[in-house]
Amino acid sequence: MNPFTSLRRHLTAEKINLYFSMVCFFSPPVLGSVVSFVFHGGALWSVVLLAAGRRRLNIDWPMVAMTIAIYAYGAAMVLASIVNGTLRVDVAYFLPLITLLLFPISYSTWSITDKAALARIAVLASAAACAGALVLAVVQYYWIGMLRAEGGAGNPIVFATVTCLAVVICLAGALSGLEKAWEPLIVAALAGVVATLYSGSRVVWVALLIAVVAVLAINRQRFARANMRRFLVVAGAASLLTAAMTSPIIVDRTHVLFDDWDALVTKGDHSTPLGLRVGLWDIGLEAFREAPLFGHGISASRGLSRQGFKEHFGLSQGFNHFHNGFLTALVQAGLLGATALAAIFVVAIWNATRVLRFSADPLERFGATMIVVTVIVYLVGGLGGILVGHDILDSTLMVFLISGTYLACGRTVPPIGKSSCDHGPVRQLELTKT
């Protein structure tokens, strides 16, 4: 047997999916845009396999509902450009939508993976991501002298968001019983919490707290049966260590917030980070009132914000979003776009809550937990930042929604075709026909 034959037999479709999933869950905090390249590369390869008849669309109701909501959002953005006569200008700005529109393609390919293996990969890769995020945060904060850690994402808010997701997946894995050795997962989650705090992203700190409470609430029955004394010792030590390591940055960021608030209220200073956000929200609401139904088109954000800052505050500033995900959608695509965007998260929560209400299966509940914490982190973080429209955030959102939906309520389908990785299902079909 030559090495190529051995490698081909080893790299079955399911094993490739597991390696692919490992990179997707590990890379956002540590390797940044690598998750975008990997996710899109996998989706494009899935398109090739579907076209060649080597894969088939996994059409189940949870996937269909999510796909309808996502495609409705894309259609609303395109319709806004058509109504405003800016379709030709906006074409380049439609590229981020492709990430979302790939949902049914990637979902169908992920659906050939064993659910237990996928859940374990998600937990372990997230634990590794938390550890890597902490290393990068410490290096950037202490050695490089960065005021806010950016990890591999190159942006503190994005870094905080994806690290926060890794933290809650570690915690969910520890409490759900998927991994027997829960202590290393708690330690990894602690590392991710510290890295998130070093990012200095206050809104994500709030999202992290809410998401942790949600995970504890979902797993309260298992949590109550756990070794409470051991868990409390680990949690107490972790809390003390976290406070010791991060109290300076927490105090500093809190002082900055109060100073910005004082400057805004007493002097009307909109040049601070808080002042810029408040100014953007005022400009965005005014722009929404001018075109409430269809908005101004996706490319209008920077021009509107620049004009608004100049006219109202005498500042030369311009942003391509309004530091609030739904306000950005309202400005770009009006009520139609914002409603469609909200529908994506409403459908996701609907899928998750149905599972949490009626299922006792640990894998399904873990998948539903993944959906819930993803929605919490994105919605809370999106109140003061970007919700969709960023390559890392969009790719990570799809990874978590696809995996969570599949684990919670999706069906597993076998790969089809004549490749060496498909011999099992093909042989089974032949026996059935015989």
Side-chain angles (χ1 to χ4, degrees):
M1 182 184 299
N2 63 60
F4 293 103
T5 303
S6 176
L7 178 64
R8 190 180 178 189
R9 290 186 177 181
H10 174 73
L11 291 178
T12 63
E14 184 172 315
K15 286 187 177 181
I16 291 174
N17 267 13
L18 292 177
Y19 297 142
F20 173 80
S21 302
M22 189 184 303
V23 176
C24 286
F25 282 99
F26 169 77
S27 58
V30 182
L31 304 176
S33 292
V34 167
V35 68
S36 181
F37 287 106
V38 172
F39 175 78
H40 288 94
L44 292 176
W45 181 240
S46 298
V47 171
V48 172
L49 293 176
L50 286 168
R54 298 268 297 279
R55 297 289 182 272
R56 61 183 179 187
L57 283 175
N58 182 12
I59 303 175
D60 53 36
W61 283 112
M63 185 276 281
V64 170
M66 283 296 300
T67 300
I68 291 173
I70 290 171
Y71 277 63
Y73 172 68
M77 300 300 287
V78 174
L79 180 60
S81 295
I82 294 174
V83 171
N84 286 280
T86 58
L87 185 59
R88 181 175 297 180
V89 178
D90 289 350
V91 166
Y93 296 91
F94 290 150
L95 291 178
L97 293 175
I98 295 176
T99 305
L100 308 183
L101 300 179
L102 289 171
F103 177 88
I105 305 296
S106 296
Y107 179 88
S108 298
T109 297
W110 245 305
S111 298
I112 70 172
T113 311
D114 176 71
K115 288 189 175 185
L118 176 59
R120 190 164 190 266
I121 285 293
V123 173
L124 296 180
S126 294
C130 286
L134 178 58
V135 171
L136 289 175
V138 169
V139 169
Q140 291 174 348
Y141 190 79
Y142 290 105
W143 290 1
I144 300 178
M146 298 173 64
L147 296 178
R148 299 176 62 185
E150 300 177 354
N155 181 297
I157 297 178
V158 176
F159 173 61
T161 301
V162 295
T163 304
C164 177
L165 287 172
V167 169
V168 289
I169 293 303
C170 284
L171 184 61
L175 296 181
S176 64
L178 294 179
E179 286 291 323
K180 299 298 182 183
W182 56 267
E183 295 94 335
L185 295 180
I186 298 298
V187 173
L190 166 64
V193 169
V194 175
T196 304
L197 293 174
Y198 274 119
S199 73
S201 181
R202 294 171 297 233
V203 68
V204 181
W205 295 352
V206 176
L208 176 59
L209 179 61
I210 298 173
V212 168
V213 171
V215 172
L216 293 175
I218 290 171
N219 295 280
R220 59 188 179 276
Q221 293 180 345
R222 280 186 169 276
F223 183 69
R225 293 195 298 267
N227 187 335
M228 288 296 296
R229 180 179 298 178
R230 195 173 178 185
F231 183 86
L232 289 174
V233 168
V234 173
S239 299
L240 291 174
L241 181 60
T242 302
M245 292 182 64
T246 61
S247 57
I249 193 170
I250 294 175
V251 171
D252 179 66
R253 292 295 291 165
T254 303
H255 282 163
V256 169
L257 177 63
F258 283 115
D259 289 343
D260 289 354
W261 176 257
D262 182 67
L264 178 65
V265 173
T266 61
K267 303 176 184 178
D269 185 2
H270 284 80
S271 63
T272 65
L274 178 61
L276 288 173
R277 277 178 169 81
V278 173
L280 276 172
W281 296 338
D282 288 340
I283 294 167
L285 289 172
E286 182 179 338
F288 164 64
R289 286 191 289 265
E290 293 173 357
L293 187 57
F294 296 105
H296 296 267
I298 195 171
S299 63
S301 297
R302 186 172 294 276
L304 289 169
S305 63
R306 187 181 299 277
Q307 180 183 352
F309 272 114
K310 185 176 181 180
E311 291 180 354
H312 299 298
F313 311 113
L315 298 175
S316 178
Q317 296 284 349
F319 297 86
N320 59 5
H321 64 93
F322 290 86
H323 273 283
N324 182 292
F326 287 106
L327 181 58
T328 301
L330 285 170
V331 173
Q332 294 178 348
L335 285 170
L336 196 64
T339 302
L341 179 60
I344 296 174
F345 297 96
V346 170
V347 171
I349 285 294
W350 174 259
N351 287 336
T353 52
R354 289 187 63 190
V355 172
L356 293 175
R357 285 179 60 191
F358 301 114
S359 176
D361 183 86
L363 279 175
E364 292 181 354
R365 293 184 65 84
F366 175 77
T369 304
M370 185 183 293
I371 296 173
V372 170
V373 296
T374 300
V375 171
I376 290 173
V377 171
Y378 270 81
L379 289 186
V380 176
L383 293 177
I386 302 174
L387 187 56
V388 293
H390 186 282
D391 67 318
I392 298 174
L393 291 180
D394 290 352
S395 298
T396 304
L397 177 63
M398 289 298 99
V399 168
F400 277 76
L401 285 185
I402 290 169
S403 301
T405 303
Y406 170 57
L407 290 173
C409 45
R411 63 178 182 179
T412 305
V413 295
I416 57 177
K418 299 181 180 179
S419 67
S420 60
C421 60
D422 300 332
H423 287 328
V426 172
R427 178 62 178 164
Q428 185 178 4
L429 289 174
E430 290 175 351
L431 290 173
T432 302
K433 291 180 180 178
T434 303

